Amino acid sequence: MTVRDAMNVLGARVLVGEENLDREVRSACGSDMMSDVLAFSKDHSILLTGLCNPQVIRTAEMLDIVCIIFVRGKKPDNTILEMAKERDLVVLETGHRMFSSCGMLYAAGLHGGAI
Amino acid sequence: MADVIALTYEISPDDFTRAGEASSDVKSKLKQVGVSPAAIRKVAIAMYEGEINMVIHAEGGKITVEISPTEIKMILADKGPGIPDIEQAMQAGWSTAPDEVRSLGFGAGMGLPNMKKYTDEMNIETTLGVGTTITMVVKI
């Protein structure tokens, strides 16, 4: 699916990267622990997290993640959004909680990738 | 003899928001010299974990990255407390990081295992009270 598809499934709002919504995503990873994300995430992924600090952007950068979705209404500050812009990432925000967000994307056909 | 590019970074302690800047810089430099995306990803993840560790556990340190036509070598040297039991530290899930670090998204006990997972060679030299030097190699 594309980032736009994921956005529509969650009724999410774009904070950064409107121009990149048609990028393809193949899997997703949901966690507030960046070390776990670094251990298990695949490329062309979406990262769902409720953690709101600059290391989320850096983790996404190291993994070539396409899109970060901040769940349960977390609002990243301008420093975080600027970092995301510089790295060409899409940042979305949804009011859904982590479990629901992951479930909705999974049901729509986006899976976690092989373990 | 082919050229080796060497990069050196001082990692400042107590500045968690800047942790990862060195890894980010190495990633973009590797892209510039045309290293494959797969190798870049491995280097970036391993070095980033190491850089975070230096900030969390060792009050910063120094990272040297040597890029040759066949491999990328990362040498992470710190003057931190040292690792008492390397075998234990290498176990996924084992962590000595305080809760404060966990609330920042790290300290899950995946740092060293991740570094090993994403590199072709990894060597840890550590002396209690003196410091730790971790050398990692990714073949390209």
Side-chain angles (χ1 to χ4, degrees):
Chain A
M1 69 169 69
T2 63
V3 174
R4 189 186 304 278
D5 296 332
M7 179 182 82
N8 291 336
V9 166
L10 296 173
R13 198 162 67 92
V14 190
L15 302 180
V16 163
E18 184 116 41
E19 66 284 5
N20 292 322
L21 289 178
D22 292 315
R23 285 194 184 162
E24 195 199 347
V25 286
R26 295 180 200 151
S27 64
C29 176
S31 182
D32 290 353
M33 293 305 280
M34 292 302 108
S35 286
D36 284 341
V37 177
L38 287 161
F40 301 117
S41 193
K42 311 279 182 282
D43 55 3
H44 292 277
S45 283
I46 287 179
L47 167 60
L48 296 105
T49 189
L51 184 73
C52 235
N53 72 35
Q55 298 308 335
V56 175
I57 308 295
R58 290 209 196 279
T59 298
E61 176 187 6
M62 300 310 157
L63 290 164
D64 297 319
I65 276 170
V66 176
C67 167
I68 299 169
I69 301 177
F70 287 102
V71 297
R72 47 182 188 265
K74 294 279 170 152
K75 301 262 188 298
D77 64 19
N78 279 337
T79 313
I80 297 175
L81 294 178
E82 279 304 316
M83 283 177 73
K85 243 180 241 174
E86 285 165 18
R87 287 157 181 81
D88 221 15
L89 291 160
V90 183
V91 179
L92 306 178
E93 176 240 327
T94 176
H96 291 295
R97 312 237 165 117
M98 176 71 91
F99 181 78
S100 309
S101 303
C102 293
M104 289 159 89
L105 290 177
Y106 195 95
L110 190 64
H111 294 171
I115 50 167
Chain B
M1 171 103 186
D3 287 347
V4 174
I5 303 168
L7 308 165
T8 306
Y9 301 89
E10 293 289 338
I11 308 304
S12 68
D14 305 325
D15 194 352
F16 187 76
T17 56
R18 289 187 58 199
E21 277 184 1
S23 305
S24 176
D25 190 66
V26 167
K27 191 171 191 240
S28 65
K29 293 223 160 69
L30 291 177
K31 227 179 256 179
Q32 282 168 24
V33 297
V35 175
S36 76
I40 292 177
R41 195 166 187 269
K42 286 156 94 178
V43 170
I45 296 170
M47 180 169 161
Y48 179 53
E49 285 281 16
E51 195 179 343
I52 292 281
N53 272 351
M54 283 176 139
V55 176
I56 294 174
H57 296 290
E59 296 176 7
K62 191 174 143 186
I63 302 180
T64 308
V65 181
E66 295 170 6
I67 308 161
S68 84
T70 55
E71 65 178 34
I72 295 153
K73 184 187 273 186
M74 295 160 269
I75 304 155
L76 292 76
D78 69 56
K79 295 190 172 65
I83 305 168
D85 185 339
I86 293 179
E87 206 177 310
Q88 198 170 37
M90 287 302 300
Q91 282 173 21
W94 170 263
S95 176
T96 57
D99 284 348
E100 180 199 327
V101 167
R102 236 161 295 215
S103 71
L104 295 168
F106 288 89
M110 295 306 288
L112 288 173
N114 274 352
M115 287 156 74
K116 186 160 180 68
K117 176 178 168 184
Y118 288 105
T119 54
D120 295 302
E121 287 169 30
M122 176 165 139
N123 180 54
I124 304 175
E125 278 172 44
T126 187
T127 308
L128 288 183
V130 177
T132 300
T133 298
I134 299 184
T135 306
M136 297 181 286
V137 174
V138 171
K139 306 274 186 202
I140 53 177

